[in-house]
Amino acid sequence: MIIERDVPIPMEDGVVLRADVFRSDSGGPHPVIMTLGPYGKGVPYRDGFKPQWKWLISAHPNVLPGSSREYMNWETVDPEIWVPWGYVCIRVDSRGSGRSPGFLDIFSKREARDFYEAIEWAGTQPWSNGKVGLNGISYYAITQWNVASLQPPHLAAMVPWEGAADFYRDTARHGGILSNGFIDTWYPRQVASVQHGNRKAIMDPWMKEISSGPEADFLSESELKKNRTDPVQDIVDRPLDSDWYRSRSVDWSKVVVPFLSAANLAGYGLHPRGNYEAFTQAASTQKWLECHPGRHEEWFYLDQGMALQKRFLDHFLKGDDNGWEKESPVLLHLRRPFSEEVELRKESAWPLPRTHFTKIYLDASEPSALGMNWGQPNEPSSISYVAMEESLTFYSPPLEQDTEITGPLAAKLFAASATNDMDLFVTFQAFSPDNREVEFQGTIDPHTPLAQGWLRASHRKLDATKSLPYRPFHSHDELWPLEAGSVYELDVEIWPTSILLPKGYRLALQISGKDFERPLPPDHPNEAWVSRGSGPWLHTHPADRPKETFCGKVTLFTGGDHPSYLLLPILEG
């Protein structure tokens, strides 16, 4: 392998980004796999992300066979695997991060434009065959959506592996509620820590220099702060959707490149909504959706994930006649309770063609035994709870047959608040006959429930042009305050799931005014986050959720003129 460090990539405004290039010593040209992001190309996976690295090699000691794993970065491809497969691998430090100078502004329009120029640079180098592919996880997937909207001519295919796409709805404000828990910790730990000019950044063992730039570029703490945005405050200051959020989000009408969108089945709070929306909304005529379980960095490096990426990219970047063009549009790994085994099933569309969207109605007529029934209750009933202190859980009768629930969900709830607003946190669960909860390893949280959704009642306005019965789409462009005590019809988007439940299991829906969290599990949190069911995706910012507004009494109405229900994607047969 030929390894070139700190290769300059000039931008149109004079800023020079820095990249590491890994290519074959046996000639070329070859197609390119590129990533651009703020985590530091000079930060080794094993050093910068020690807990995650330890977990990966402990859980999968034989991961990436044939590689020494010495050249790996977090959430990017391993060049020791991909270069022998006939690719040039390029990692670019985004503007203001790592070895690239400039103002650090995550997910910005400027960052997307920089990525466009980097792709065009890579596509015209002598070692390139002119086809550039993108492949990476999380941040390195989100930037793929954003740059794809700009349609760089040399971009030939991409694999956004677990990538959010709508900065407002997927990342910053779930149902209008500020999602600060993750950003509060992630930004200083993984982004600001390797900001360009940060003298405290980790050493780059390959260049034997600080990973955040040469000593001449080091900045004081105050200078560093002035040279980057404050993402949490930016979101606090912008409660409604706006051009600022749109500039950090994909425009699906302009995404025409072939792509393989890889969604995690238990990634509530960040990525999977973007992967599903990509498949259903993007203009591309060559698009595939893959749905997998496990942690977000796990399946990307396992044999089945690697084989999938290689086959897709070999077809579009090398022109290999490997049958990919005949591959089913949807590749679903079906889950079963209390099992790590999954079954790959190929489907033709999403939602799946055999889906029968079925209403199961909430019934509060027995306050001590809240129920869900397939038939609509005739008699009206209601029940109240204190929003930030209590929760309600409605249970179905035991399932009469094995039941597959796969696809997007939604809840229609009729509720009143004692204040002028309320937040709804909705969690879909299932329980075995012996009352064990069905949960799975999520992208981060090892005890993730089956599905989650959120809505701030003052954001209840729907966009009629984009809403579907099973996927309400809120415009978030104006506030509709509540009149205390008045009943409102609220449609809650619940992110997609997939589960095959045996006969005798019960469904459950928890409704609350706070994040879903269980007591701390006996095996304690995972290695990086306190994991109680919602992972780090918590909504706790005091400026966004003042108690005088969001800790009031909420009353939920069921039956009669207020038929609250959960809409389930049940597969026929």
Side-chain angles (χ1 to χ4, degrees):
M1 222 167 31
I2 296 172
I3 304 174
E4 299 171 288
R5 304 280 183 185
D6 258 9
V7 177
I9 305 179
M11 300 290 105
E12 61 185 359
D13 64 351
V15 170
V16 177
L17 303 187
R18 295 289 173 171
D20 288 352
V21 179
F22 303 80
R23 54 192 177 90
S24 174
D25 59 2
S26 60
H30 297 291
V32 173
I33 294 177
M34 175 177 273
T35 52
L36 178 145
Y39 295 159
K41 64 181 179 61
V43 177
Y45 192 157
R46 65 179 182 273
D47 296 335
F49 299 84
K50 287 181 180 179
Q52 295 89 338
W53 176 250
K54 182 179 178 180
W55 180 90
L56 180 66
I57 62 174
S58 297
H60 305 285
N62 298 318
V63 69
L64 300 168
S67 171
S68 71
R69 312 171 191 164
E70 288 298 308
Y71 299 96
M72 291 181 66
N73 273 166
W74 173 245
E75 298 182 335
T76 63
V77 301
D78 180 356
E80 277 193 274
I81 297 292
W82 286 89
V83 170
W85 281 352
Y87 290 90
V88 177
C89 296
I90 303 177
R91 302 169 180 157
V92 186
D93 279 340
S94 57
R95 182 180 298 235
S97 71
R99 307 280 294 185
S100 296
F103 186 78
L104 177 58
D105 189 3
I106 59 172
F107 306 124
S108 64
K109 188 175 182 179
R110 178 67 256 181
E111 182 184 70
R113 182 64 197 180
D114 287 347
F115 205 178
Y116 176 107
E117 294 181 42
I119 289 168
E120 291 307 291
W121 173 86
T124 56
Q125 297 305 301
W127 34 254
S128 169
N129 73 349
K131 292 186 177 182
V132 177
L134 311 178
N135 189 16
I137 312 170
S138 188
Y139 201 106
Y140 299 106
I142 296 171
T143 54
Q144 292 182 49
W145 298 130
N146 292 346
V147 75
S149 298
L150 303 180
Q151 300 180 359
H154 286 91
L155 178 58
M158 62 185 197
V159 184
W161 197 276
E162 302 187 26
D166 185 320
F167 191 60
Y168 188 96
R169 292 164 181 81
D170 299 357
T171 307
R173 286 187 170 270
H174 300 138
I177 309 168
L178 193 154
S179 177
N180 61 293
F182 174 70
I183 299 175
D184 277 339
T185 306
W186 161 78
Y187 188 74
R189 177 185 291 175
Q190 293 185 210
V191 180
S193 64
V194 73
Q195 180 184 354
H196 184 76
N198 185 353
R199 66 180 70 243
K200 297 179 182 178
I202 195 170
M203 283 292 296
D204 178 337
W206 303 303
M207 293 188 65
K208 303 192 183 323
E209 294 186 37
I210 297 292
S211 58
S212 59
E215 187 173 347
D217 289 355
F218 286 169
L219 302 173
S220 66
E221 289 297 325
S222 61
E223 289 171 325
L224 288 169
K225 190 173 182 179
K226 290 178 182 178
N227 213 32
R228 64 176 184 252
T229 60
D230 182 342
V232 174
Q233 190 60 48
D234 285 341
I235 297 166
V236 170
D237 293 341
R238 296 170 174 84
L240 296 176
D241 202 358
S242 63
D243 290 342
W244 186 84
Y245 288 106
R246 293 305 94 213
S247 71
R248 287 160 169 74
S249 304
V250 67
D251 181 344
W252 293 126
S253 69
K254 296 180 179 179
V255 177
V256 296
V257 66
F259 65 80
L260 169 62
S261 177
N264 191 298
L265 289 167
Y268 307 108
L270 189 53
H271 295 309
R273 185 181 183 278
N275 291 110
Y276 294 112
E277 288 286 292
F279 184 73
T280 59
Q281 305 300 318
S284 177
T285 58
Q286 296 176 294
K287 52 187 177 181
W288 287 262
L289 172 66
E290 188 269 352
C291 308
H292 59 267
R295 286 169 53 125
H296 76 291
E297 78 273 37
E298 183 179 9
W299 273 56
F300 184 79
Y301 295 113
L302 299 186
D303 291 347
Q304 58 267 50
M306 296 282 287
L308 189 70
Q309 299 161 43
K310 182 178 185 300
R311 186 166 160 242
F312 172 81
L313 293 172
D314 281 353
H315 178 73
F316 285 104
L317 302 186
K318 294 182 178 181
D320 284 5
D321 183 14
N322 58 16
W324 181 268
E325 71 280 1
K326 298 178 182 177
E327 185 57 85
S328 299
V330 177
L331 306 171
L332 170 69
H333 291 90
L334 183 63
R335 302 178 302 175
R336 290 174 170 80
F338 313 116
S339 173
E340 295 184 2
E341 299 297 321
V342 292
E343 170 191 342
L344 174 61
R345 200 175 63 209
K346 300 186 177 185
E347 299 282 354
S348 61
W350 183 271
L352 306 185
R354 305 183 308 284
T355 305
H356 180 62
F357 285 98
T358 306
K359 297 175 183 177
I360 184 166
Y361 292 89
L362 309 188
D363 186 354
S365 60
E366 295 186 35
S368 61
L370 300 177
M372 290 197 294
N373 302 294
W374 302 107
Q376 180 176 340
N378 293 323
E379 295 299 319
S381 58
S382 65
I383 188 169
S384 300
Y385 62 96
V386 179
M388 284 189 175
E389 299 175 6
E390 301 173 313
S391 61
L392 304 175
T393 302
F394 295 79
Y395 295 91
S396 77
L399 295 172
E400 296 181 356
Q401 59 187 10
D402 292 355
T403 303
E404 181 181 341
I405 300 172
T406 294
L409 305 86
K412 183 180 288 292
L413 303 175
F414 292 87
S417 173
T419 69
N420 67 353
D421 211 344
M422 61 178 151
D423 286 344
L424 294 173
F425 293 76
V426 178
T427 302
F428 176 55
Q429 299 171 274
F431 292 86
S432 68
D434 59 358
N435 208 37
R436 289 182 296 156
E437 183 189 353
V438 178
E439 59 180 36
F440 288 94
Q441 169 68 60
T443 53
I444 291 179
D445 197 308
H447 302 284
T448 302
L450 291 182
Q452 292 177 294
W454 310 262
L455 180 66
R456 175 158 291 172
S458 59
H459 287 245
R460 64 190 179 279
K461 178 184 174 184
L462 293 172
D463 184 333
T465 65
K466 296 181 179 180
S467 287
L468 298 165
Y470 53 81
R471 200 285 315 264
F473 192 96
H474 299 88
S475 58
H476 299 294
D477 59 358
E478 60 177 321
L479 296 179
W480 287 0
L482 310 183
E483 182 179 333
S486 295
V487 182
Y488 293 91
E489 181 178 344
L490 306 168
D491 294 282
V492 184
E493 176 187 6
I494 302 174
W495 292 12
T497 191
S498 180
I499 183 69
L500 178 60
L501 295 172
K503 176 182 177 180
Y505 278 57
R506 292 183 302 155
L507 311 179
L509 188 71
Q510 185 190 100
I511 300 169
S512 180
K514 58 181 180 177
D515 287 298
F516 172 84
E517 288 190 301
R518 307 181 190 87
L520 194 64
D523 56 346
H524 300 295
N526 67 2
E527 79 288 340
W529 307 93
V530 176
S531 303
R532 300 175 63 182
S534 294
W537 291 286
L538 303 178
H539 309 74
T540 57
H541 201 289
D544 184 69
R545 305 192 68 222
K547 288 188 176 182
E548 58 269 23
T549 299
F550 296 103
C551 195
K553 184 178 76 170
V554 172
T555 303
L556 185 69
F557 296 83
T558 67
D561 295 334
H562 300 124
S564 296
Y565 63 78
L566 171 65
L567 188 67
L568 293 168
I570 296 179
L571 259 65
E572 296 177 350

